[in-house]
């Protein structure tokens, strides 16, 4: 068969670049099989068969032509990797410098003191708000914050931290009650089709995720603009901190981003990085694509791969190695530290028959691992609070909330859970993790006191 010129748009709208990309993907055996199958038979039949199959292939790998080729940071250069033009805007979430106060002074650009609230019993108060991951259950925290504002008892938070779903709430919580309505609209005004685009076969063809999160990225960009960053920077200059957690997949370690330091920069790439960090923190591995973040190391521009902060930490305040008392020189007097931790999850086990298919088993297993992981991180924060003399306050989705999803971001479910959070309004705080209050024995073996405490967690 004589060679013919390729039509301008390729075969059935599939360009040669797309076909080459699809066939050259690292795990694209299926692509090659499709191509070979299309070449069978007479020359008259080859083109339409190959075109149809590869048209399908291009559909499920529509992002293939833009596939990022990684230039990862080599292990010896990991410690020196910096964000181009922005410098030190993050640190490892599992370690603390020896001299924390001086290290903070070095990074806070002339901010000599950290923020604090008016004194109580002769001590200034530092309020921490820590927002956990939880997927669409993050709507619980959005409702709780709105209800807390309505109650008139919501404090100013000197430090706000967020992981995953909590990362998408944290900047609004940091900026205060004036942004409650935006949070409500963001969490109750969208369905899954507004936020993600399924691409279930992409992973078979070398893709990095089951869905495309460009719609979610567009939603973040709608709210996070230069004006938004200027507002964050204004609060940062007062000594308030907004910290977001991601996971560096290459290093297998948690990373904490100082979002105020990013916002302080007037460089145009600051807005881009701010958005990237929020999306990375909420990017559940396999389901959502990872975020490639450019860094400089060894005189080269390289990249890191960041995913959901919940992969390494479900919720955080500070590394366990950090003594909060080491921050005393940055306050007018040794302060009272008060933790408010919002777990966007039920904390008690939930009985549910599991199907024997692979999807049902995977879902139940992942849910169990997430619940156990969260319990471990809550113990970590409780230990930190007890060691440092800090107040520990924990809110979570009550076990009595029984409404079920029909889909992710199901509007009925989202409104119902928002209302549950709103009703709590910052008034239902537990003083220790549930396992310390409730025996894990079956109900029939509990003492009367255990049963009473278990009932309190259901409220």
């Amino acid at each position: 068969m004589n060679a013919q010129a390729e039509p301008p748009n390729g075969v059935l709208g599939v360009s040669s670049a797309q076909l080459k990309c699809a066939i050259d993907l690292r795990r694209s055996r299926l692509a090659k099989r499709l191509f070979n199958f299309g070449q069978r038979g007479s020359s008259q039949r080859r083109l339409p068969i190959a075109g149809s199959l590869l048209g399908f292939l291009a559909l499920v790998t529509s992002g293939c032509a833009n596939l990022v080729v990684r230039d990862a940071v080599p292990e010896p250069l990991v410690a020196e990797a910096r964000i181009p033009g922005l410098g030190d805007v993050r640190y490892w979430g599992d370690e603390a410098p020896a001299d924390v106060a001086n290290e903070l002074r070095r990074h806070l650009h002339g901010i000599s003191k950290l923020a604090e609230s008016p004194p109580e019993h002769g001590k200034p108060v530092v309020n921490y708000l820590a927002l956990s991951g939880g997927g669409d259950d993050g709507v619980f925290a959005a409702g709780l914050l709105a209800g807390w504002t309505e109650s008139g008892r919501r404090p100013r938070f000197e430090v706000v931290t967020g992981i995953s779903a909590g990362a998408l709430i944290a900047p609004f919580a940091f900026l205060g009650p004036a942004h409650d309505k935006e949070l409500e609209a963001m969490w109750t005004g969208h369905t899954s089709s507004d936020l993600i685009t399924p691409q279930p076969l992409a992973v078979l063809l070398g893709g990095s995720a089951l869905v495309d999160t460009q719609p979610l990225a567009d939603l973040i960009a709608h709210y996070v603009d230069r004006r938004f960053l200027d507002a964050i920077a204004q609060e940062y200059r007062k000594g308030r901190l907004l910290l977001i957690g991601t996971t560096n997949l290459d290093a297998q370690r948690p990373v904490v981003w100082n979002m105020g330091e990013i916002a302080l920069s007037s460089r145009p790439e600051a807005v881009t990085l701010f958005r990237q960090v929020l999306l990375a923190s909420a990017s559940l591995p396999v389901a959502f694509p990872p975020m490639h973040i450019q860094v400089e190391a060894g005189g080269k521009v390289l990249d890191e791969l960041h995913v959901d902060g919940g992969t390494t930490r479900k919720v955080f305040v500070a590394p366990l190695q950090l003594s909060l008392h080491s921050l005393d020189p940055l306050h007018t007097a040794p302060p009272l530290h008060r933790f408010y931790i919002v777990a966007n999850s039920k904390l008690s086990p939930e009985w549910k028959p599991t199907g024997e298919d692979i999807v049902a088993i995977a879902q139940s297993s992942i849910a169990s691992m997430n619940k156990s992981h969260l319990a471990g991180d809550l113990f970590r924060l409780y230990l930190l609070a007890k060691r440092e003399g800090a107040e520990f306050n924990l809110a979570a989705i009550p076990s009595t909330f029984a409404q079920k999803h029909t889909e992710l971001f199901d509007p009925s479910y989202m409104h119902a859970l928002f209302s549950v959070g709103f009703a709590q309004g910052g008034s239902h705080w537990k003083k220790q993790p549930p396992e310390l209050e409730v025996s894990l024995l079956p109900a029939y073996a509990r003492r009367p006191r255990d049963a009473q405490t278990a009932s309190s967690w259901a409220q």
Side-chain angles (χ1 to χ4, degrees), residues 76-109:
L77 299 180
V78 167
E80 67 177 74
R82 298 289 183 273
I83 304 298
L86 294 175
D88 296 317
V89 294
R90 78 268 178 84
Y91 57 88
W92 295 117
D94 55 3
E95 68 179 28
D99 189 341
V100 177
N102 280 335
E103 189 70 10
L104 278 173
R105 284 194 183 100
R106 189 169 71 86
H107 291 300
L108 291 181
H109 291 287

Side-chain angles (χ1 to χ4, degrees), residues 327-350:
L327 302 175
D328 288 352
L330 298 173
H331 292 283
T332 56
L336 167 64
H337 299 278
R338 184 172 287 152
F339 296 174
Y340 292 102
I341 303 158
V342 181
N344 292 303
S345 172
K346 295 178 182 178
L347 300 181
S348 56
E350 299 173 83

Side-chain angles (χ1 to χ4, degrees), residues 248-271:
N248 182 325
L249 270 188
D250 299 320
Q252 299 180 0
R253 297 179 67 183
V255 176
V256 175
W257 297 80
N258 183 350
M259 305 302 278
E261 187 70 20
I262 297 172
L264 202 61
S265 171
S266 60
R267 297 174 68 98
E269 54 265 38
V271 177

Side-chain angles (χ1 to χ4, degrees), residues 287-337:
F288 291 5
M291 178 61 64
H292 294 254
I293 294 181
Q294 280 196 343
V295 297
E296 289 178 338
K300 297 180 180 179
V301 176
L302 305 169
D303 79 280
E304 297 173 344
L305 209 58
H306 286 255
V307 297
D308 196 322
T311 306
T312 45
R313 295 286 187 273
K314 293 298 182 187
V315 63
F316 77 100
V317 167
L320 199 55
Q321 302 94 320
L322 173 68
S323 170
L324 298 180
H325 296 298
S326 65
L327 302 175
D328 288 352
L330 298 173
H331 292 283
T332 56
L336 167 64
H337 299 278

Side-chain angles (χ1 to χ4, degrees), residues 89-91 104 108 128-131 158-163 166-167 170-171 174 232 236 240-246 255-261 277-278 281 316-319 322:
V89 294
R90 78 268 178 84
Y91 57 88
L104 278 173
L108 291 181
Y128 299 76
L129 176 65
L131 300 161
E158 282 68 49
V159 180
V160 178
T161 74
I163 287 279
F174 182 77
I232 298 286
Y236 181 58
R240 297 179 64 218
L241 302 177
L242 171 61
L243 308 173
I244 299 298
T246 65
V255 176
V256 175
W257 297 80
N258 183 350
M259 305 302 278
E261 187 70 20
V277 171
L278 295 185
S281 185
F316 77 100
V317 167
L322 173 68

Side-chain angles (χ1 to χ4, degrees), residues 224-447:
V224 178
D225 55 14
R226 184 65 254 178
R227 183 179 299 180
F228 192 87
L229 263 67
D230 289 342
I232 298 286
Q234 182 177 351
E235 296 304 313
Y236 181 58
R237 292 187 185 97
K238 299 174 185 177
R240 297 179 64 218
L241 302 177
L242 171 61
L243 308 173
I244 299 298
T246 65
T247 297
N248 182 325
L249 270 188
D250 299 320
Q252 299 180 0
R253 297 179 67 183
V255 176
V256 175
W257 297 80
N258 183 350
M259 305 302 278
E261 187 70 20
I262 297 172
L264 202 61
S265 171
S266 60
R267 297 174 68 98
E269 54 265 38
V271 177
T272 300
L273 180 63
F274 200 104
R275 294 168 177 171
Q276 285 181 323
V277 171
L278 295 185
L279 183 57
S281 185
S283 293
L284 179 67
V286 180
F288 291 5
M291 178 61 64
H292 294 254
I293 294 181
Q294 280 196 343
V295 297
E296 289 178 338
K300 297 180 180 179
V301 176
L302 305 169
D303 79 280
E304 297 173 344
L305 209 58
H306 286 255
V307 297
D308 196 322
T311 306
T312 45
R313 295 286 187 273
K314 293 298 182 187
V315 63
F316 77 100
V317 167
L320 199 55
Q321 302 94 320
L322 173 68
S323 170
L324 298 180
H325 296 298
S326 65
L327 302 175
D328 288 352
L330 298 173
H331 292 283
T332 56
L336 167 64
H337 299 278
R338 184 172 287 152
F339 296 174
Y340 292 102
I341 303 158
V342 181
N344 292 303
S345 172
K346 295 178 182 178
L347 300 181
S348 56
E350 299 173 83
W351 188 89
K352 178 184 177 183
T354 301
E356 294 189 77
D357 61 282
I358 191 170
V359 173
I361 291 171
Q363 287 176 335
S364 184
S365 299
I366 291 170
S368 300
M369 286 190 292
N370 284 338
K371 198 172 292 261
S372 179
H373 190 174
L374 175 60
D377 284 337
L378 291 176
F379 271 114
R380 191 195 306 267
L381 293 183
Y382 184 70
L383 175 61
L384 178 66
K386 284 300 177 186
R387 190 188 70 195
E388 304 294 323
E391 287 188 13
F392 180 92
N393 301 281
L394 171 63
I397 299 173
S399 61
T400 52
F401 179 70
Q403 185 152 338
K404 304 298 182 185
H405 295 81
T406 57
E407 61 173 335
L408 278 175
F409 302 98
D410 169 23
S412 176
Y413 178 90
M414 302 297 280
H415 281 94
L417 188 50
F418 181 92
S419 297
V420 168
F422 189 93
Q424 285 201 13
S427 61
H428 291 71
W429 300 103
K430 304 301 177 181
K431 297 302 181 179
Q432 54 188 6
E435 288 87 346
L436 295 181
E437 296 187 356
V438 182
S439 170
L440 294 181
L441 293 171
Y444 64 82
R446 292 185 190 139
R447 295 171 296 167

Side-chain angles (χ1 to χ4, degrees), residues 25-182:
L25 283 171
R26 181 162 48 92
R27 295 187 297 274
S28 60
R29 293 179 183 175
L30 175 58
K32 293 178 181 178
R33 288 174 185 171
L34 286 172
F35 184 83
N36 291 336
F37 180 78
Q39 293 299 302
R40 294 175 185 172
S42 65
S43 59
Q44 288 79 11
R45 295 178 58 212
R46 288 176 188 168
L47 186 60
I49 293 176
S52 298
L53 292 173
L54 290 172
F56 165 76
L57 174 62
L59 178 64
V60 297
T61 58
S62 56
C64 175
N66 296 319
L67 194 68
V68 177
V69 177
R70 291 211 61 200
D71 196 357
V73 180
E75 185 176 2
L77 299 180
V78 167
E80 67 177 74
R82 298 289 183 273
I83 304 298
L86 294 175
D88 296 317
V89 294
R90 78 268 178 84
Y91 57 88
W92 295 117
D94 55 3
E95 68 179 28
D99 189 341
V100 177
N102 280 335
E103 189 70 10
L104 278 173
R105 284 194 183 100
R106 189 169 71 86
H107 291 300
L108 291 181
H109 291 287
I111 299 172
S112 59
K113 295 292 182 182
L114 291 176
E116 54 195 39
S117 286
E120 294 181 16
H121 309 294
K123 285 188 171 186
V125 176
V126 177
N127 294 304
Y128 299 76
L129 176 65
L131 300 161
S132 85
D136 56 359
D137 283 345
V139 71
F140 170 75
L144 185 147
L145 287 166
W148 205 350
T149 299
E150 185 74 12
S151 74
R153 299 188 300 269
R154 176 174 165 179
R156 185 188 76 162
F157 306 111
E158 282 68 49
V159 180
V160 178
T161 74
I163 287 279
S164 194
L168 301 181
I169 300 168
F172 300 91
F174 182 77
L175 290 177
H179 293 264
D180 286 352
K181 289 297 182 183
E182 287 176 298

